[in-house]
Amino acid sequence: YQRRVHGDDNTICQKVAVQLLRVLGCTGDVASNGREACDKLQKNPLIYNAVLMDLRMPIMDGISATEYIRNILNLINLPIIAFSGEYGDDTKAICRKVGMNGFIAKPSKRDELKSALQDLKILK
């Protein structure tokens, strides 16, 4: 299965990410905030093999959503990739600390997303 959840409150970023995933042969389901991403995963945990997570969103941010996914939903092996305009070393360290597996800076190109997915062995 090649299905991902993309949590992002920016509609342009949502469209770009879904299009990038489509070009790579994947299906992308959009969540407008971290709470929606968690709800999608809680409802159907086995249909997704990765999450692209923005860090700054209303209702529940990407850091809190990742903590929820790891600690409450207990999806410890589900790859979560930060997909954010914030890309300093401190931000990357926080992402790793809460259990994110990768980081892609926005704006992203197809090859960057492809490489990140391949590094995590979720895309051939």
Side-chain angles (χ1 to χ4, degrees):
Y1 58 107
Q2 296 292 317
R3 190 175 192 130
R4 281 85 166 129
V5 172
H6 174 64
D8 200 317
D9 61 316
N10 183 306
T11 56
I12 293 171
C13 291
Q14 291 171 352
K15 290 176 184 175
V16 169
V18 168
Q19 182 60 32
L20 287 172
L21 289 169
R22 189 173 296 125
V23 168
L24 294 173
C26 307
T27 300
D29 291 343
V30 173
S32 296
N33 58 65
R35 177 77 257 153
E36 283 184 21
C38 291
D39 290 346
K40 286 179 183 292
L41 290 165
Q42 187 167 13
K43 199 177 292 184
N44 295 298
L46 300 178
I47 67 169
Y48 298 105
N49 67 342
V51 178
L52 299 178
M53 187 74 75
D54 188 18
L55 300 182
R56 303 286 175 231
M57 296 178 284
I59 302 172
M60 180 185 278
D61 64 37
I63 299 298
S64 299
T66 299
E67 290 174 324
Y68 188 89
I69 292 164
R70 296 294 189 228
N71 301 321
I72 305 300
L73 299 181
N74 201 32
L75 297 173
I76 56 173
N77 295 317
L78 179 68
I80 302 174
I81 301 169
F83 196 68
S84 181
E86 298 179 43
Y87 45 85
D89 289 338
D90 291 344
T91 301
K92 290 179 182 179
I94 291 168
C95 292
R96 283 190 296 276
K97 183 179 178 184
V98 298
M100 290 185 173
N101 307 93
F103 190 93
I104 300 172
K106 289 194 247 179
S108 177
K109 295 183 171 61
R110 179 183 55 92
D111 290 341
E112 293 167 322
L113 179 57
K114 182 178 181 181
S115 178
L117 295 174
Q118 287 174 330
D119 288 348
L120 293 170
K121 311 264 188 283
I122 50 180
L123 184 71
K124 294 179 182 181

